[in-house]
């Protein structure tokens, strides 16, 4: 029986080698949750991306480098990292196509940032230099260990799913959501006030998390519940 929901993953892009790549952890977590992961090609043609969305039951926006600050109307600061314009473009179009088709979307790390920017929100370009007193959000290896807590906002879908007020998460980002896009709502914060999770009301499942649930899929029940909830909505 062919009935696993197909979930398209935005590829990591290596411009120096003209190559797309994918950490195994994303695919392993999706497969573990009962989905069929499909790594997408780097495309920026809107019609092609709409067709991809029509072939997928859900979309996973993966981690990666920094979104071009020009996309949220800011000058690029010296501490902003590498920018890959083709990926920015692909992700913005793919996310919009997924919303048009009402397909579930999970954004992870860069994914929550790309979602927020695509919907008119802004980002901190570099937490260490822009947010005084911010935690170190760039954990050292090993990455399959959690690094800081987040408080889960009561009454949000994340709180309903996990049934907890606090959660230990991984942290491998120097950017974060600054102003939340009008259509998104916050659902978790780090102890320093940095926003770590959002959702879109009125949708089956449009969630973004700043941490990496796929990195602790084996050891974190909360991560398994998160992937299970996403995949369930893709069925
Ligand atoms: Mn963090």
């Amino acid at each position: 029986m062919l009935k696993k929901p197909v979930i398209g993953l935005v590829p990591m892009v290596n411009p120096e080698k003209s190559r797309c790549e994918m950490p195994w952890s994303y695919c392993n977590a999706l497969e573990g949750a009962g989905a069929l992961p499909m790594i997408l090609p780097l495309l920026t043609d809107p019609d092609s991306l709409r067709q991809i969305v029509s072939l997928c039951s859900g979309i996973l926006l993966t981690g990666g480098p920094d979104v071009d600050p020009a996309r949220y109307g800011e000058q690029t600061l010296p501490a902003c990292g590498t920018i890959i314009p083709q990926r920015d473009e692909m992700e913005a179009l793919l996310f919009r196509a997924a919303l048009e088709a009402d397909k579930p979307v999970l954004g992870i790390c860069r994914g929550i940032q790309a979602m927020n920017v695509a919907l008119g929100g802004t980002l901190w370009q570099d937490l260490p230099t822009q947010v005084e007193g911010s935690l170190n959000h760039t954990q050292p290896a090993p990455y399959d260990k959690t690094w800081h807590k987040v408080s889960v906002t009561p009454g949000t879908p994340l709180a309903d799913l996990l049934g907890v007020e606090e959660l230990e998460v991984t942290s491998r980002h120097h950017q974060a959501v600054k102003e939340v896009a009008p259509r998104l709502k916050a659902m978790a914060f780090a102890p320093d006030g940095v926003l770590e999770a959002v959702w879109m009301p009125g949708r089956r499942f449009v969630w973004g998390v700043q941490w990496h649930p796929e990195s602790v899929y084996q050891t974190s029940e909360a991560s398994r519940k998160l992937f299970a909830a996403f995949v369930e909505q893709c069925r």
Side-chain angles (χ1 to χ4, degrees):
M1 295 291 280
L2 304 175
K3 51 186 179 183
K4 290 179 185 171
V6 173
I7 296 182
L9 293 99
V10 173
M12 308 280 171
V13 180
N14 182 335
E16 284 162 23
K17 292 186 176 173
S18 305
R19 207 172 266 186
C20 289
E21 302 172 344
M22 183 60 60
W24 295 345
S25 52
Y26 292 102
C27 296
N28 291 345
L30 286 173
E31 191 187 24
L36 184 63
M38 295 277 278
I39 301 166
L40 302 177
L42 179 68
L43 299 176
T44 54
D45 172 62
D47 286 338
S48 299
L49 292 169
R50 272 189 220 104
Q51 189 171 351
I52 281 175
V53 164
S54 76
L55 295 169
C56 293
S57 299
I59 297 292
L60 196 153
L61 304 178
T62 52
D66 295 346
V67 176
D68 188 348
R71 289 191 169 261
Y72 46 93
E74 288 192 9
Q75 301 266 328
T76 304
L77 300 176
C80 186
T82 309
I83 288 160
I84 302 176
Q86 303 97 312
R87 180 160 173 192
D88 288 348
E89 182 69 2
M90 171 180 176
E91 228 153 23
L93 293 168
L94 185 69
F95 180 48
R96 276 186 218 125
L99 290 179
E100 277 168 24
D102 195 20
K103 296 282 172 84
V105 179
L106 174 60
I108 290 179
C109 198
R110 171 194 162 96
I112 182 178
Q113 299 168 9
M115 288 165 61
N116 190 54
V117 170
L119 293 169
T122 63
L123 304 180
W124 294 112
Q125 291 185 40
D126 182 60
L127 292 170
T129 54
Q130 289 190 290
V131 180
E132 208 183 319
S134 59
L135 294 175
N136 177 9
H137 285 269
T138 308
Q139 76 179 83
Y143 301 127
D144 61 351
K145 297 274 183 286
T146 55
W147 181 249
H148 67 67
K149 286 189 199 317
V150 293
S151 58
V152 181
T153 309
T156 59
L158 186 64
D160 292 346
L161 175 71
L162 301 180
V164 298
E165 293 178 357
E166 267 193 350
L167 181 65
E168 289 283 347
V169 299
T170 62
S171 193
R172 284 154 60 195
H173 58 109
H174 80 115
Q175 299 201 329
V177 171
K178 183 163 64 176
E179 293 160 290
V180 188
R183 292 173 70 188
L184 298 175
K185 301 280 181 218
M187 56 181 179
F189 293 90
D192 56 5
V194 167
L195 199 162
E196 294 256 350
V198 298
W199 65 293
M200 184 183 285
R203 293 289 173 153
R204 278 192 287 166
F205 190 106
V206 178
W207 289 20
V209 296
Q210 186 56 69
W211 60 90
H212 282 276
E214 80 287 358
S215 296
V216 290
Y217 187 76
Q218 297 300 333
T219 52
S220 159
E221 188 190 0
S223 292
R224 289 193 294 276
K225 283 182 173 176
L226 180 59
F227 276 101
F230 173 46
V231 172
E232 186 56 34
Q233 291 303 317
C234 293
R235 284 185 196 283

